[in-house]
């Protein structure tokens, strides 16, 4: 019988290597939350998001913005603080099995990061293009920006930061120093958020929504390239996991 | 950590663990590359990709391959040279097209009501397949850059021909000759209108007649070769595993 079809028995008392529940729940959080956000945009974008001087804009959109600011700062503080505070101070002494388990947990974080990047850089960013081609903006805080810049970007920053911190505080493979490509893949997309400052400042001079490829937007492009740093992360992970499994796969 | 200890209980578990990581890696790589590639493409070639009235036979043909060969070259640099996986370009285009189609349906159509036959994305698959095939068959980055990059640029227009041809049929409207795609642009007013409407069927373009698209494709192929080289090295850098000392 081929090795791939042999049954795998796990110790009943032992925690599973990959926590499928966390993987599914983590993914569902992004998909369901952003599904709800898209519903909210569909309903309140048209009914309350066309005129930023209208009272309903304040009610449905500016309040949404204020709430997300508070939630994002507190989520980042609590999550990153927790991961750092609960770090393993003897990370180089863990057993190989525990190390493997942590790699799986790290990959649960990376899968969440993938969802977050997809929604931020792909779904809500291109959506912003079609919104601007439909509605003349009269504020930096248009409905599409309140979702794209100030919700989906902070969420992938928080998720990416959490994945990085998890790797740095719990995995022996990341104790050699700061993994440059990992840093690039987290900090680069993070820089897209400060680049919003340049973007909005530019838009106070020029009405440029008619041209999505305008050079004013190239800052987003440059920092978007940093997502390719995930290639380096994959390579670090493959090296580490191969080392753990090499003997058993030989 | 003891070197004598094993991370798994059996060879079967090792195989299962290895396969599970493969899926996790593939999923993450796919969606992270999708995100980075999509934001790059929409902000460097997006307008030509969003609307049929921008899908002309000169600048669309020129710009789209040049700006889209970037991520395929970079991902090939990692997947082929490290893992001998010959699908770096296709996996990038699959990601980009998935992100675009979801957006065009759910947002361009679903939120702002532009019909899909006005805002469907360009087809980038033929060039990507050839790019991967050349790399697989030759194993040479230089040959892939020159032959694959050239094919990537040249195949773009023919690859989109069956889709765009009906919209490039000429029509007369208010005394002007334009394409059906131009007419769509007239009727679906966007905030950038009228400046956003691109009447490309004018000037010296017409004196060149049928040659415009091939000439544009050839120029695009030339620049695609250069961009491939550049981005292949970017890809190698991004795929490296350097560590720096913490300050």
């Amino acid at each position: 019988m081929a090795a791939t079809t042999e049954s795998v028995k796990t110790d009943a008392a032992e925690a599973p290597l990959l926590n499928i529940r966390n993987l599914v729940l983590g993914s569902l959080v992004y998909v369901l939350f952003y599904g709800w956000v898209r519903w909210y945009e569909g309903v309140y974008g048209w009914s309350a998001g066309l005129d930023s001087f209208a009272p309903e804009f304040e009610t449905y959109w500016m309040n949404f913005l204020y709430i997300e600011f508070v939630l994002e700062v507190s989520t980042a503080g609590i999550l990153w603080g927790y991961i750092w505070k609960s770090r393993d101070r003897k990370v180089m002494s863990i057993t190989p099995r525990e190390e493997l388990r942590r790699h799986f947990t790290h990959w649960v974080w990376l899968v969440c990061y993938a969802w977050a990047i997809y929604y931020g850089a792909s779904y809500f960013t291109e959506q912003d293009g079609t919104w601007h081609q439909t509605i003349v903006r009269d504020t930096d805080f248009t409905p599409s920006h309140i979702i794209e810049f100030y919700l989906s970007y902070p969420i992938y920053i928080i998720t990416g930061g959490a994945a990085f911190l998890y790797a740095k505080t719990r995995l022996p493979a990341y104790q050699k120093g700061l993994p440059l490509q990992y840093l690039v893949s987290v900090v680069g997309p993070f820089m897209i958020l400060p680049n919003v400052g340049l973007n909005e400042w530019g838009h106070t001079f020029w009405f440029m929504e008619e041209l999505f490829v305008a050079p004013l937007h190239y800052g987003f492009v440059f920092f978007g390239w940093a997502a390719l740093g995930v290639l380096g992360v994959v390579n670090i992970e493959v090296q580490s996991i191969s080392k753990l499994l090499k003997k058993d796969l030989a | 950590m003891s070197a004598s200890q094993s991370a798994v209980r059996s060879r079967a578990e090792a195989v299962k663990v290895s396969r599970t990581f493969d899926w996790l890696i593939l999923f993450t790589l796919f969606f992270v590359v999708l995100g980075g590639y999509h934001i790059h493409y929409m902000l460097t070639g997006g307008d030509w990709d969003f609307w049929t009235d921008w899908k002309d036979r000169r600048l669309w043909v020129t710009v789209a391959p040049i700006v889209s060969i970037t991520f395929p070259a970079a991902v090939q640099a990692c997947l082929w040279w490290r893992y001998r996986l010959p699908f770096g370009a296709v996996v990038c285009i699959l990601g980009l097209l998935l992100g675009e189609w979801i957006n065009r349906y759910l947002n361009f159509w679903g939120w702002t009501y532009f019909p899909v036959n006005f805002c469907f994305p360009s087809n980038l698959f033929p060039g990507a397949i050839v790019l991967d095939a050349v790399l697989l068959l030759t194993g040479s980055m230089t040959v892939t850059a020159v032959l694959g990059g050239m094919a990537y640029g040249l195949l773009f227009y023919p690859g989109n021909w069956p889709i765009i041809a009906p919209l490039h049929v000429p029509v007369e409207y208010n005394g002007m000759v334009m394409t059906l795609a131009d007419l769509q642009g007239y009727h679906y007013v966007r905030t950038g209108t009228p400046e956003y409407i691109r009447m490309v069927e004018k000037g010296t373009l017409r004196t060149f007649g049928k040659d415009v698209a091939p000439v544009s494709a050839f120029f695009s192929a030339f620049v695609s070769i250069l961009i491939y080289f550049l981005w292949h090295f970017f890809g190698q850098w991004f795929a490296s595993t350097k560590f720096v000392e913490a300050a």
Side-chain angles (χ1 to χ4, degrees):
Chain A
M1 188 165 67
T4 47
T5 58
E6 282 176 27
S7 65
V8 178
K9 288 174 186 157
T10 50
D11 205 339
E14 189 194 47
L17 285 172
L18 170 63
N19 191 324
I20 302 264
R21 194 196 59 174
N22 285 354
L23 180 68
V24 173
L25 279 180
S27 299
L28 279 178
V29 164
Y30 291 88
V31 175
L32 294 179
F33 175 67
Y34 281 131
W36 172 79
V37 167
R38 176 62 186 79
W39 169 84
Y40 190 93
E41 283 180 314
V43 175
Y44 297 107
W46 286 105
S47 65
L50 305 183
D51 177 4
S52 71
F53 295 92
E56 63 268 24
F57 192 93
E58 185 71 23
T59 305
Y60 289 99
W61 287 104
M62 293 312 288
N63 283 332
F64 194 104
L65 180 74
Y66 305 142
I67 291 167
E68 68 189 20
F69 277 159
V70 172
L71 288 179
E72 283 154 12
V73 171
S74 42
T75 304
I78 292 167
L79 182 61
W80 292 350
Y82 172 77
I83 294 173
W84 177 253
K85 193 74 185 158
S86 59
R87 68 190 180 277
D88 187 345
R89 289 162 198 271
K90 292 178 181 170
V91 68
M92 297 308 283
S93 344
I94 59 174
T95 63
R97 192 158 180 86
E98 178 58 19
E99 188 181 343
L100 190 61
R101 185 175 292 112
R102 290 184 188 184
H103 274 292
F104 270 117
T105 307
H106 181 220
W107 275 94
V108 172
W109 276 113
L110 287 171
V111 165
C112 291
Y113 186 51
W115 282 116
I117 281 273
Y118 161 69
Y119 277 106
S122 171
Y123 189 86
F124 288 113
T125 303
E126 199 178 82
Q127 180 200 63
D128 183 53
T130 192
W131 181 252
H132 283 312
Q133 283 290 0
T134 311
I135 310 299
V136 176
R137 68 153 78 182
D138 62 351
T139 170
D140 292 330
F141 300 107
T142 56
S144 61
H145 283 190
I146 286 171
I147 302 304
E148 178 204 8
F149 291 153
Y150 308 111
L151 182 72
S152 72
Y153 290 179
I155 284 177
Y156 76 60
I157 290 166
I158 293 168
T159 314
F164 181 85
L165 266 180
Y166 183 89
K168 191 66 196 143
T169 55
R170 284 156 172 84
L171 285 167
Y174 296 90
Q175 303 309 310
K176 283 184 278 183
L178 289 171
L180 185 58
Q181 276 65 29
Y182 205 152
L183 213 52
V184 166
S185 74
V186 172
V187 174
F190 163 79
M191 286 301 291
I192 286 178
L193 186 62
N195 186 69
V196 171
L198 164 69
N199 188 66
E200 296 310 302
W201 182 78
H203 281 302
T204 62
F205 289 98
W206 307 293
F207 174 74
M208 297 178 75
E209 279 82 10
E210 72 272 18
L211 199 62
F212 221 44
V213 299
L216 178 62
H217 296 149
Y218 288 177
F220 296 120
V221 176
F222 179 76
F223 292 118
W225 296 348
L228 280 171
V230 73
L231 297 170
V233 179
V234 165
N235 290 334
I236 293 173
E237 283 291 312
V238 169
Q239 281 170 8
S240 314
I241 295 161
S242 303
K243 214 158 107 187
L244 285 170
L245 300 177
K246 198 172 179 181
K247 198 172 57 178
D248 300 279
L249 284 174
Chain B
M1 176 174 93
S2 165
S4 60
Q5 280 185 291
S6 183
V8 287
R9 307 265 188 256
S10 63
R11 180 179 152 74
E13 190 182 34
V15 170
K16 187 184 172 194
V17 163
S18 168
R19 295 291 176 273
T20 309
F21 272 119
D22 286 347
W23 284 110
L24 292 170
I25 290 169
L26 196 62
F27 178 89
T28 304
L29 195 65
F30 184 80
F31 279 98
V32 175
V33 167
L34 187 168
Y37 192 17
H38 197 178
I39 198 169
H40 159 89
Y41 186 61
M42 77 177 78
L43 294 171
T44 51
D47 298 272
W48 284 279
D49 200 82
F50 293 160
W51 321 103
T52 54
D53 62 335
W54 276 64
K55 289 186 166 80
D56 64 293
R57 55 201 178 103
R58 183 164 50 186
L59 275 172
W60 174 51
V61 184
T62 309
V63 172
I66 292 171
V67 299
S68 66
I69 198 170
T70 49
F71 274 59
V75 172
Q76 272 192 342
C78 177
L79 294 190
W80 176 255
W81 292 108
R82 284 196 178 247
Y83 305 109
R84 284 293 182 265
L85 293 173
F87 52 69
V90 167
V91 90
C92 285
I93 301 300
L94 270 173
L96 179 66
L97 268 285
L98 178 70
E100 288 186 326
W101 273 106
I102 289 174
N103 232 290
R104 305 302 160 87
Y105 259 100
L106 297 185
N107 295 323
F108 278 64
W109 164 241
W111 197 23
T112 50
Y113 310 114
F114 291 110
V116 174
N117 79 343
F118 181 48
C119 61
F120 56 86
S122 314
N123 176 21
L124 295 160
F125 277 111
I129 292 169
V130 171
L131 208 56
D132 278 338
V134 172
L135 184 61
L136 176 65
L137 292 173
T138 66
S140 160
M141 178 207 144
T142 310
V143 176
T144 306
V146 176
L147 288 184
M150 183 177 286
Y152 190 85
L154 288 175
L155 286 173
F156 178 76
Y157 195 65
N160 283 277
W161 215 332
I163 313 164
I164 203 73
L167 299 170
H168 279 187
V169 171
V171 289
E172 188 187 326
Y173 186 71
N174 288 342
M176 286 176 69
V177 177
M178 60 182 74
T179 65
L180 270 177
D182 290 330
L183 195 56
Q184 284 183 305
Y186 261 161
H187 284 292
Y188 285 96
V189 175
R190 288 148 288 175
T191 53
T193 306
E195 291 86 351
Y196 198 72
I197 288 176
R198 299 177 65 250
M199 297 301 299
V200 294
E201 296 291 327
K202 61 185 179 185
T204 52
L205 184 81
R206 279 189 180 164
T207 64
F208 277 68
K210 67 187 188 312
D211 301 331
V212 172
V215 166
S216 301
F218 200 47
F219 172 56
S220 182
F222 163 58
V223 183
S224 294
I225 293 170
L226 303 178
I227 297 290
Y228 184 94
F229 271 114
L230 188 65
W231 275 78
H232 195 91
F233 291 117
F234 282 177
Q236 282 185 339
W237 186 84
F238 278 115
S240 60
T241 54
K242 290 187 181 70
F243 282 79
V244 290
E245 289 296 319

